[in-house]
Amino acid sequence: QVQLVESGGGLVQAGGSLRLSCAASGRGFADYTMGWFRQAPGKEREFVAHISWIGRSTETADSVKGRFTISRDNAKNTVYLQMYNLKPEDSAVYYCAAARSVGLLHRDGDYDYWGQGTQVTVSS
């Protein structure tokens, strides 16, 4: 079982950068695919990115490709989302999640554990 806590959100101007962190506790962090999702007010939760157990395989949503990078440090039990060139439409609560499954994991139901979320607000 894994417990996840996100941090690093905040207020940033358009064009700025943030790095989100998700610290995991519990057994077997390196056995999980880790993902990031986001949810803006009044909208469905949206897939952002995920990364495989050892970090060699990543996938990012088209909406953030080229701007966001997911990475992990298994020695620190932490997954990151580095965000560059932020846009107002990136404003959302960002959640990290852990899945025992492998492959293309784009749906909420693919993930077994979730963090509480961290707010990202991008101003014009």
Side-chain angles (χ1 to χ4, degrees):
Q1 185 171 328
V2 173
Q3 295 79 48
L4 306 172
V5 180
E6 302 96 333
S7 62
L11 176 64
V12 64
Q13 292 185 343
S17 302
L18 285 173
R19 188 180 74 163
L20 306 183
S21 299
C22 178
S25 62
R27 291 179 176 269
F29 175 76
D31 294 336
Y32 289 85
T33 296
M34 299 297 299
W36 285 97
F37 289 75
R38 66 186 184 185
Q39 188 168 26
K43 296 185 178 181
E44 297 289 323
R45 189 175 298 178
E46 176 188 16
F47 168 77
V48 176
H50 67 57
I51 186 167
S52 64
W53 299 346
I54 62 174
R56 291 193 294 170
S57 179
T58 64
E59 183 178 354
T60 55
D62 289 343
S63 60
V64 303
K65 193 168 295 182
R67 299 188 298 118
F68 291 11
T69 301
I70 187 171
S71 62
R72 68 192 295 164
D73 186 339
N74 288 344
K76 297 181 179 179
N77 284 0
T78 302
V79 62
Y80 304 96
L81 186 69
Q82 180 67 59
M83 305 184 293
Y84 296 104
N85 192 24
L86 283 160
K87 304 175 181 180
E89 52 263 43
D90 295 319
S91 296
V93 177
Y94 283 71
Y95 300 90
C96 67
R100 297 285 292 184
S101 300
V102 297
L104 298 176
L105 307 179
H106 298 164
R107 300 171 61 180
D108 292 3
D110 294 327
Y111 291 83
D112 301 295
Y113 306 103
W114 292 82
Q116 84 290 343
T118 186
Q119 177 71 50
V120 172
T121 303
V122 184
S123 63
S124 300

